[in-house]
Amino acid sequence: MSLAQPESIEDIKARNKALIKEVLEVYPEKTAKRRAKHLNTFEDGKPDCGVKSNIKSIPGVMTIRGCAYAGSKGVVWGPIKDMIHISHGPVGCGQYSWASRRNYYIGTTGIDTFVTMQFTSDFQEKDIVFGGDKKLAKLIDEIQELFPLNKGISVQSECPIGLIGDDIEAVSKAKTKEYNGHTIVPVRCEGFRGVSQSLGHHLANDAIRDWVFDKMEGKPALFEATPYDVAIIGDYNIGGDAWSSRILLEEMGLRVVAQWSGDGTIAELEATPRAKLNVLHCYRSMNYISRHMEEKYGVPWVEYNFFGPSKIEESLRKIASHFDDKIKEGAERVIAKYRPLMDAVIAKYRPRLEGKKVMLFVGGLRPRHVIGAYEDLGMEIVGTGYEFGHNDDYQRTTHYVKDGTLIYDDVTGYEFEKFVEKIQPDLVGSGIKEKYVFQKMGVPFRQMHSWDYSGPYHGYDGFAIFARDMDMAINSPVWKFAKAPWAA
Ligand code: SF4
């Protein structure tokens, strides 16, 4: 099944160029011209990856992207556990996105936490024709009666809400007043807005600014501050990621006052403008609110990467550099404590994974952030791309990828299959929609949005699981029974 593999960087670049030309040839001329801007090979020394991004997908191609509603409800708001998040509109959007992200949380579901429950206004034809504001008001009343311990409600707009012009802001304001200032947040994240889920993240951030922070102004502080208070921003606690990150920050002497938003609460959001530093993992989905907190409340923010020991060490030192010697020493202590454990993980798995080639296609930060973890295991990233990245993501990616890496923005189903068929990586890391296509092609696969029902992958604890999972995917004996279609 093996095709001749290129060896030198120049060979790789020439192969990538030919491959891009080949995939574009099947498109009509105009489509080929538009898609050509999203495909390239990374050249060392360039300021970005040489692709256009955050542009509308072309009708007719199979894009992997989601919608703005998915970005707001599924990513930013959904994990806030003590609030109830209404999927406002027809039942399908909420039902089909229900509980798919595995945001772990503690609490008693249905009593004081609600993450895995599905609330919808279940729009019918008459709601579209006559408007759904009355129904929303009734739904909020029912929630207040049935779930009295909820600490807030968000209204996640699906497409029809914007199309029929419902006034969810007026309903939210009236109900907030009726329920003595209860937090009710309307979010204008209708799926048709923007080009991908990315605008939904931005709109969700703006809703926190306007409907959570502004409401807190003039109110007494929620906690007594210390010089070491930090908030984890942009960690959704997939498979427990935020927990395995939080313990490292605490071990080095910091106090984590909030988690955004995995296993987080509305009180944590409200308290965050008093943190000394915001530590930001997913830049794409939460840079907006981090910038706002810096501008309005003077809270600085720093990006970090907790995938794999090399990046964790770098990040712990970077975070510590914002504090005094006590925290800097704490970071060194944490690094020294875990290094033997990480050395043991690498000694076990590196011989089984050394030299294996990986192609990635994921969302906000993973197309670059996981690269270090693979490299710690001796693996090589030969292609990567973002579903909904912007140019600043591709600029940040230059610090991670090697000369000659194939870059594909908003890759289409056809292009991705073709690239994998021709490059023949040892592993593909992407989403659930891609998983079975590649497995049927006989290519080992890991679902890198939800960690394939595993995790955590963040932090030192996470790296041990990450290494085991990659070994399990690549070295499973099952692959000798699978035959790639091109080998048939
Ligand atoms: S695009 Fe509109 S209809 Fe489709 S899932 Fe998103 S909100 Fe629902």
Side-chain angles (χ1 to χ4, degrees):
M1 102 175 206
S2 172
L3 300 177
Q5 295 291 314
E7 279 163 19
S8 72
I9 290 289
E10 289 320 309
D11 281 351
I12 289 170
K13 287 181 180 173
R15 179 213 50 198
N16 287 352
K17 207 172 159 199
L19 201 45
I20 291 170
K21 188 167 175 278
E22 188 186 331
V23 300
L24 292 173
E25 267 164 10
V26 302
Y27 292 132
E29 198 185 324
K30 203 168 147 196
T31 304
K33 213 167 144 193
R34 285 171 69 181
R35 281 303 305 156
K37 295 177 186 161
H38 298 264
L39 308 173
N40 214 333
T41 299
F42 174 63
E43 297 272 350
D44 246 354
K46 291 274 167 73
D48 62 27
C49 296
V51 293
K52 294 270 182 214
S53 57
N54 196 30
I55 293 171
K56 194 176 180 307
S57 305
I58 300 168
V61 303
M62 201 64 130
T63 174
I64 292 158
R65 286 172 163 176
C67 69
Y69 157 83
S72 176
K73 161 62 168 59
V75 176
V76 177
W77 281 100
I80 300 170
K81 64 184 177 182
D82 57 355
M83 290 179 74
I84 285 176
H85 308 287
I86 301 171
S87 291
H88 189 36
V91 68
C93 314
Q95 186 65 16
Y96 288 109
S97 57
W98 182 19
S100 57
R101 294 255 300 167
R102 292 195 320 118
N103 312 101
Y104 284 178
Y105 61 96
I106 51 170
T108 309
T109 302
I111 304 296
D112 58 1
T113 55
F114 309 94
V115 177
T116 50
M117 295 177 78
Q118 144 76 330
F119 294 84
T120 176
S121 45
D122 185 22
F123 262 40
Q124 304 296 316
E125 201 174 329
K126 69 174 170 33
D127 302 312
I128 303 285
V129 176
F130 297 109
D133 287 343
K134 284 201 183 100
K135 193 170 198 180
L136 177 62
K138 187 163 177 263
L139 176 53
I140 292 171
D141 292 341
E142 284 177 10
I143 285 173
Q144 289 299 90
E145 195 181 333
L146 292 169
F147 304 99
L149 296 185
N150 85 78
K151 293 288 196 307
I153 296 169
S154 81
V155 182
Q156 305 290 324
S157 304
E158 299 166 9
C159 284
I161 306 307
L163 295 172
I164 64 176
D166 271 10
D167 193 352
I168 57 170
E169 288 82 1
V171 177
S172 301
K173 272 186 197 152
K175 286 291 164 190
T176 295
K177 204 165 163 202
E178 187 181 331
Y179 291 107
N180 304 317
H182 197 63
T183 299
I184 301 176
V185 182
V187 191
R188 283 285 175 189
C189 55
E190 289 91 345
F192 59 77
R193 294 186 193 276
V195 302
S196 70
Q197 55 268 62
S198 181
L199 188 66
H201 307 143
H202 196 156
L203 293 163
N205 279 219
D206 289 354
I208 295 170
R209 178 194 65 200
D210 297 342
W211 294 82
V212 178
F213 286 172
D214 287 1
K215 202 175 143 222
M216 290 305 290
E217 276 176 18
K219 293 198 176 159
L222 289 169
F223 65 91
E224 208 172 302
T226 77
Y228 303 120
D229 296 341
V230 297
I232 293 177
I233 309 283
D235 189 321
Y236 302 103
N237 208 31
I238 308 295
D241 282 337
W243 296 333
S244 59
S245 302
R246 182 185 183 119
I247 54 169
L248 302 181
L249 299 173
E250 288 173 346
E251 275 188 62
M252 69 193 258
L254 297 170
R255 184 170 77 155
V256 179
V257 296
Q259 280 177 210
W260 289 50
S261 49
D263 195 33
T265 60
I266 182 70
E268 288 172 58
L269 261 59
E270 290 167 349
T272 302
R274 298 196 74 223
K276 295 291 178 303
L277 179 72
N278 282 328
V279 296
L280 175 61
H281 208 235
C282 181
Y283 169 85
R284 182 70 277 132
S285 60
M286 285 200 175
N287 78 86
Y288 317 101
I289 199 71
S290 304
R291 291 176 195 280
H292 173 71
M293 282 190 264
E294 182 170 48
E295 282 162 24
K296 185 153 183 190
Y297 307 104
V299 186
W301 54 280
V302 60
E303 285 177 68
Y304 71 105
N305 177 352
F306 271 4
F307 287 104
S310 302
K311 290 295 166 191
I312 297 172
E313 287 187 10
E314 212 177 290
S315 295
L316 289 174
R317 291 191 175 114
K318 191 163 141 193
I319 292 168
S321 73
H322 289 257
F323 295 93
D324 59 15
D325 285 350
K326 181 184 156 213
I327 302 299
K328 288 183 186 125
E329 282 158 25
E332 294 307 322
R333 196 176 54 244
V334 172
I335 291 167
K337 175 184 163 185
Y338 287 97
R339 194 172 279 159
L341 298 171
M342 292 301 98
D343 287 348
V345 170
I346 290 170
K348 181 173 177 186
Y349 291 106
R350 192 166 174 135
R352 298 169 62 80
L353 296 169
E354 184 91 50
K356 300 289 185 194
K357 292 183 170 40
V358 185
M359 290 178 77
L360 298 168
F361 186 71
V362 218
L365 81 165
R366 293 165 186 174
R368 62 177 181 276
H369 265 203
V370 295
I371 292 176
Y374 283 111
E375 288 177 348
D376 283 338
L377 294 166
M379 299 166 80
E380 188 193 347
I381 305 301
V382 293
T384 192
Y386 294 82
E387 265 182 48
F388 50 83
H390 298 208
N391 194 39
D392 49 0
D393 294 301
Y394 284 104
Q395 285 167 351
R396 283 167 167 75
T397 307
T398 60
H399 305 300
Y400 287 89
V401 287
K402 292 208 170 83
D403 197 25
T405 306
L406 183 64
I407 307 289
Y408 29 80
D409 175 69
D410 185 25
V411 76
T412 69
Y414 166 74
E415 291 161 8
F416 202 14
E417 281 175 44
K418 222 44 194 171
F419 289 150
V420 169
E421 181 189 327
K422 291 295 165 75
I423 294 174
Q424 291 184 18
D426 300 288
L427 180 75
V428 173
S430 189
I432 191 68
K433 299 191 283 293
E434 297 71 68
K435 176 173 175 168
Y436 301 104
V437 172
F438 291 119
Q439 288 192 337
K440 284 176 186 172
M441 286 164 70
V443 180
F445 188 95
R446 283 303 295 183
Q447 209 269 72
M448 294 298 280
H449 293 272
S450 201
W451 307 148
D452 243 334
Y453 323 109
S454 180
Y457 283 177
H458 292 182
Y460 289 119
D461 288 343
F463 181 66
I465 297 167
F466 173 86
R468 180 204 64 190
D469 287 357
M470 298 310 139
D471 175 40
M472 203 164 63
I474 291 177
N475 293 312
S476 165
V478 77
W479 301 116
K480 66 174 182 277
F481 300 111
K483 204 166 190 186
W486 57 83

